[in-house]
Every structure is written in structure tokens, then in C-alpha cells.
Coordinates of all heavy atoms in Angstrom, one line a residue:
K1 N 131.3 192.7 -74.6 CA 130.1 192.1 -75.2 C 128.9 193.0 -75.1 O 128.1 193.0 -76.0 CB 129.9 190.7 -74.5 CG 130.9 189.7 -74.8 CD 130.6 189.1 -76.2 CE 131.5 187.8 -76.5 NZ 131.2 187.2 -77.8
T2 N 128.7 193.6 -73.9 CA 127.6 194.5 -73.7 C 128.0 195.7 -72.8 O 129.1 195.7 -72.2 CB 126.5 193.8 -72.9 OG1 127.0 193.4 -71.6 CG2 126.0 192.5 -73.7
K3 N 127.2 196.7 -72.7 CA 127.4 197.8 -71.9 C 127.5 197.4 -70.4 O 128.4 197.8 -69.7 CB 126.3 198.9 -72.0 CG 126.5 200.1 -71.1 CD 125.3 201.1 -71.3 CE 125.3 202.1 -70.2 NZ 126.4 203.0 -70.2
A4 N 126.6 196.5 -70.0 CA 126.6 196.0 -68.7 C 127.9 195.3 -68.3 O 128.4 195.4 -67.2 CB 125.4 195.0 -68.5
S5 N 128.4 194.5 -69.3 CA 129.7 193.8 -69.1 C 130.8 194.8 -68.9 O 131.7 194.7 -68.1 CB 129.9 192.9 -70.2 OG 131.2 192.2 -70.0
A6 N 130.8 195.9 -69.8 CA 131.8 196.9 -69.7 C 131.8 197.6 -68.3 O 132.8 197.9 -67.7 CB 131.6 197.9 -70.8
R7 N 130.5 197.8 -67.8 CA 130.4 198.5 -66.5 C 131.0 197.6 -65.4 O 131.7 198.1 -64.5 CB 128.9 198.7 -66.2 CG 128.6 199.2 -64.8 CD 129.1 200.6 -64.4 NE 128.6 201.6 -65.3 CZ 127.5 202.3 -65.0 NH1 126.8 202.1 -63.9 NH2 127.1 203.3 -65.8
K8 N 130.7 196.3 -65.4 CA 131.3 195.4 -64.4 C 132.8 195.4 -64.4 O 133.5 195.4 -63.3 CB 130.7 194.0 -64.5 CG 129.2 193.9 -64.1 CD 128.7 192.5 -64.3 CE 127.2 192.4 -63.9 NZ 126.7 191.0 -64.1
I9 N 133.4 195.4 -65.6 CA 134.8 195.4 -65.7 C 135.4 196.7 -65.3 O 136.4 196.7 -64.5 CB 135.2 195.0 -67.2 CG1 134.8 193.6 -67.5 CG2 136.7 195.2 -67.4 CD1 135.0 193.2 -69.0
A10 N 134.8 197.8 -65.7 CA 135.3 199.1 -65.3 C 135.2 199.2 -63.7 O 136.2 199.8 -63.1 CB 134.4 200.2 -65.9
M11 N 134.2 198.7 -63.1 CA 134.0 198.8 -61.7 C 135.1 197.9 -61.0 O 135.6 198.2 -59.9 CB 132.6 198.5 -61.2 CG 131.6 199.6 -61.4 SD 132.1 201.0 -60.4 CE 130.9 202.2 -60.9
S12 N 135.4 196.8 -61.6 CA 136.4 195.9 -61.0 C 137.7 196.6 -61.0 O 138.5 196.5 -60.0 CB 136.5 194.6 -61.9 OG 137.5 193.8 -61.4
I13 N 138.0 197.3 -62.0 CA 139.3 198.1 -62.1 C 139.2 199.3 -61.0 O 140.2 199.5 -60.3 CB 139.5 198.7 -63.5 CG1 139.6 197.5 -64.5 CG2 140.8 199.6 -63.5 CD1 139.6 198.0 -65.9
A14 N 138.1 200.0 -61.0 CA 138.0 201.2 -60.2 C 138.0 200.8 -58.7 O 138.5 201.6 -57.9 CB 136.7 201.9 -60.5
N15 N 137.5 199.7 -58.3 CA 137.5 199.3 -56.9 C 138.7 198.5 -56.5 O 138.7 198.1 -55.3 CB 136.2 198.5 -56.6 CG 135.0 199.4 -56.6 OD1 135.0 200.5 -56.0 ND2 133.8 198.9 -57.1
S16 N 139.6 198.3 -57.3 CA 140.8 197.5 -57.0 C 141.8 198.3 -56.1 O 142.3 199.3 -56.6 CB 141.5 197.0 -58.2 OG 142.8 196.5 -57.9
P17 N 142.0 198.0 -54.9 CA 143.0 198.7 -54.1 C 144.4 198.7 -54.7 O 145.2 199.7 -54.6 CB 143.0 197.9 -52.7 CG 141.7 197.3 -52.7 CD 141.4 196.9 -54.1
L18 N 144.7 197.6 -55.4 CA 146.1 197.5 -56.1 C 146.2 198.5 -57.2 O 147.2 199.2 -57.4 CB 146.3 196.1 -56.6 CG 146.6 195.1 -55.5 CD1 146.7 193.7 -56.1 CD2 147.8 195.4 -54.7
V19 N 145.1 198.7 -58.0 CA 145.1 199.7 -59.1 C 145.2 201.1 -58.5 O 146.0 201.9 -58.9 CB 143.8 199.5 -60.0 CG1 143.8 200.7 -61.0 CG2 143.9 198.2 -60.7
K20 N 144.3 201.3 -57.5 CA 144.2 202.7 -56.9 C 145.5 203.1 -56.2 O 145.9 204.2 -56.3 CB 143.0 202.7 -56.0 CG 141.7 202.6 -56.7 CD 140.6 202.1 -55.8 CE 140.1 203.2 -54.9 NZ 139.4 204.3 -55.6
T21 N 146.2 202.2 -55.5 CA 147.5 202.5 -54.9 C 148.6 202.7 -55.9 O 149.5 203.5 -55.7 CB 147.9 201.5 -53.9 OG1 147.8 200.2 -54.4 CG2 147.0 201.5 -52.6
A22 N 148.5 202.0 -57.0 CA 149.5 202.2 -58.1 C 149.4 203.6 -58.7 O 150.4 204.2 -58.9 CB 149.3 201.1 -59.2
I23 N 148.2 204.0 -58.8 CA 147.9 205.4 -59.4 C 148.4 206.4 -58.4 O 149.0 207.4 -58.7 CB 146.4 205.5 -59.7 CG1 146.1 204.6 -60.9 CG2 146.1 207.0 -60.1 CD1 144.6 204.5 -61.2
A24 N 148.2 206.1 -57.1 CA 148.7 207.1 -56.1 C 150.2 207.2 -56.1 O 150.8 208.2 -55.9 CB 148.2 206.6 -54.7
G25 N 150.8 206.0 -56.4 CA 152.3 206.0 -56.5 C 152.8 206.4 -57.9 O 154.0 206.3 -58.2
E26 N 151.9 206.9 -58.8 CA 152.2 207.3 -60.2 C 152.9 206.2 -61.0 O 153.8 206.5 -61.7 CB 153.0 208.6 -60.1 CG 152.2 209.7 -59.4 CD 153.0 211.0 -59.4 OE1 154.2 211.0 -59.5 OE2 152.3 212.1 -59.1
D27 N 152.4 205.0 -60.8 CA 153.0 203.8 -61.4 C 151.9 203.3 -62.4 O 150.8 202.8 -62.0 CB 153.3 202.8 -60.4 CG 153.9 201.5 -61.0 OD1 154.2 201.5 -62.2 OD2 153.9 200.5 -60.3
A28 N 152.2 203.3 -63.7 CA 151.3 202.7 -64.7 C 151.4 201.2 -64.8 O 151.9 200.6 -65.7 CB 151.7 203.3 -66.1
N29 N 151.0 200.6 -63.7 CA 151.1 199.2 -63.5 C 150.0 198.5 -64.2 O 148.9 198.2 -63.6 CB 151.2 198.8 -62.0 CG 151.6 197.4 -61.8 OD1 151.4 196.5 -62.6 ND2 152.1 197.1 -60.6
W30 N 150.1 198.2 -65.5 CA 149.0 197.6 -66.3 C 148.7 196.2 -65.8 O 147.7 195.7 -66.1 CB 149.3 197.7 -67.8 CG 150.4 196.8 -68.2 CD1 150.4 195.5 -68.6 CD2 151.8 197.2 -68.4 NE1 151.6 195.0 -68.9 CE2 152.5 196.0 -68.8 CE3 152.5 198.3 -68.1 CZ2 153.9 196.0 -69.0 CZ3 153.9 198.4 -68.4 CH2 154.6 197.2 -68.8
G31 N 149.7 195.6 -65.2 CA 149.5 194.2 -64.7 C 148.3 194.2 -63.7 O 147.5 193.2 -63.7
R32 N 148.2 195.2 -62.9 CA 147.1 195.3 -61.9 C 145.7 195.5 -62.7 O 144.7 195.0 -62.2 CB 147.3 196.4 -60.9 CG 148.5 196.0 -60.0 CD 148.8 197.1 -59.0 NE 149.9 196.7 -58.1 CZ 150.4 197.4 -57.1 NH1 149.7 198.6 -56.8 NH2 151.4 197.0 -56.4
V33 N 145.8 196.2 -63.8 CA 144.6 196.4 -64.6 C 144.2 195.0 -65.2 O 143.0 194.7 -65.2 CB 144.8 197.4 -65.7 CG1 143.5 197.5 -66.6 CG2 145.1 198.8 -65.0
V34 N 145.1 194.3 -65.7 CA 144.9 193.0 -66.3 C 144.2 192.1 -65.2 O 143.3 191.4 -65.5 CB 146.2 192.3 -66.8 CG1 145.9 190.9 -67.2 CG2 146.8 193.1 -67.9
M35 N 144.8 192.1 -64.0 CA 144.2 191.4 -62.9 C 142.7 191.7 -62.7 O 141.9 190.8 -62.5 CB 145.0 191.6 -61.6 CG 144.5 191.0 -60.3 SD 143.1 192.1 -59.5 CE 144.0 193.6 -59.2
A36 N 142.5 193.0 -62.6 CA 141.1 193.4 -62.4 C 140.1 193.1 -63.5 O 139.0 192.7 -63.2 CB 141.1 195.0 -62.1
V37 N 140.6 193.1 -64.7 CA 139.8 192.6 -65.8 C 139.5 191.1 -65.7 O 138.3 190.7 -65.8 CB 140.5 192.9 -67.2 CG1 139.7 192.3 -68.3 CG2 140.6 194.4 -67.4
G38 N 140.5 190.4 -65.4 CA 140.4 188.9 -65.3 C 139.5 188.5 -64.2 O 138.8 187.4 -64.4
K39 N 139.4 189.2 -63.1 CA 138.6 188.7 -62.0 C 137.2 189.2 -62.0 O 136.3 188.8 -61.2 CB 139.2 189.2 -60.6 CG 139.0 190.7 -60.4 CD 139.4 191.1 -59.0 CE 139.1 192.5 -58.7 NZ 139.3 192.9 -57.3
A40 N 136.8 190.0 -63.0 CA 135.5 190.6 -63.1 C 134.4 189.6 -63.4 O 133.2 189.9 -63.1 CB 135.5 191.7 -64.1
G41 N 134.8 188.4 -63.9 CA 133.8 187.4 -64.2 C 133.0 187.7 -65.5 O 132.0 187.1 -65.7
E42 N 133.5 188.6 -66.3 CA 132.9 188.9 -67.6 C 133.7 188.4 -68.7 O 134.9 188.2 -68.6 CB 132.7 190.4 -67.7 CG 131.7 191.0 -66.7 CD 130.3 190.5 -66.9 OE1 129.9 190.5 -68.1 OE2 129.7 190.1 -66.0
P43 N 133.1 188.3 -69.9 CA 133.9 187.8 -71.1 C 135.1 188.7 -71.4 O 135.0 189.9 -71.4 CB 132.9 187.9 -72.2 CG 131.5 187.7 -71.6 CD 131.7 188.4 -70.3
A44 N 136.2 188.0 -71.5 CA 137.5 188.7 -71.8 C 138.5 187.7 -72.5 O 138.4 186.6 -72.1 CB 138.1 189.3 -70.6
D45 N 139.3 188.2 -73.4 CA 140.3 187.4 -74.0 C 141.6 188.1 -73.8 O 141.9 189.1 -74.3 CB 140.0 187.3 -75.5 CG 140.9 186.4 -76.3 OD1 142.0 186.2 -75.8 OD2 140.5 185.8 -77.3
R46 N 142.4 187.4 -73.0 CA 143.8 187.9 -72.7 C 144.5 188.4 -73.9 O 145.2 189.5 -73.9 CB 144.6 186.9 -72.0 CG 146.0 187.2 -71.6 CD 146.8 186.0 -71.3 NE 146.9 185.1 -72.5 CZ 147.1 183.8 -72.5 NH1 147.3 183.2 -71.3 NH2 147.2 183.1 -73.6
D47 N 144.5 187.6 -75.0 CA 145.3 187.9 -76.2 C 144.7 189.0 -77.1 O 145.3 189.4 -78.1 CB 145.5 186.7 -77.0 CG 146.3 185.6 -76.2 OD1 147.1 186.0 -75.3 OD2 146.1 184.4 -76.4
K48 N 143.6 189.6 -76.7 CA 143.0 190.7 -77.5 C 143.0 192.0 -76.7 O 142.7 193.1 -77.1 CB 141.5 190.4 -77.9 CG 141.4 189.3 -78.9 CD 139.9 189.1 -79.3 CE 139.8 188.0 -80.3 NZ 138.4 187.8 -80.7

């Protein structure tokens, strides 16, 4: 919706220990990215 919203979502992903450990394990676990997007508290539509 906005740049500020994009920043909050990006930071939610970047600060997720589950996302970061998956990357360390070389696992493209998009489910953890979905989780981080969903918990950010910003507008998001799962089906888009």
C-alpha cells in the first residue's frame, strides 16, 4: 500500500529467526516468508 508498509513487511521477514535459519540451511522455505508477511500487521492479501 505504501513504502512504509513495505518496509515493515520487509523487516518482519528479515528479523524472523525461522526465515534466517532456513536460509542458513539453504532451504527456500516460502512458508516462513508467508508467516512473516502475515504477522507484520500491514495490509496483505494471501491470495495475491
Side-chain angles (χ1 to χ4, degrees):
K1 287 284 189 179
T2 64
K3 175 181 170 66
S5 181
R7 170 67 63 90
K8 288 182 180 179
I9 292 171
M11 281 296 174
S12 179
I13 299 167
N15 283 323
S16 165
L18 289 177
V19 172
K20 292 160 74 70
T21 51
I23 293 170
E26 300 181 341
D27 178 13
N29 191 333
W30 69 86
R32 294 182 177 182
V33 176
V34 172
M35 173 277 299
V37 172
K39 76 170 185 175
E42 293 297 313
D45 185 332
R46 177 199 61 201
D47 296 333
K48 293 182 178 180

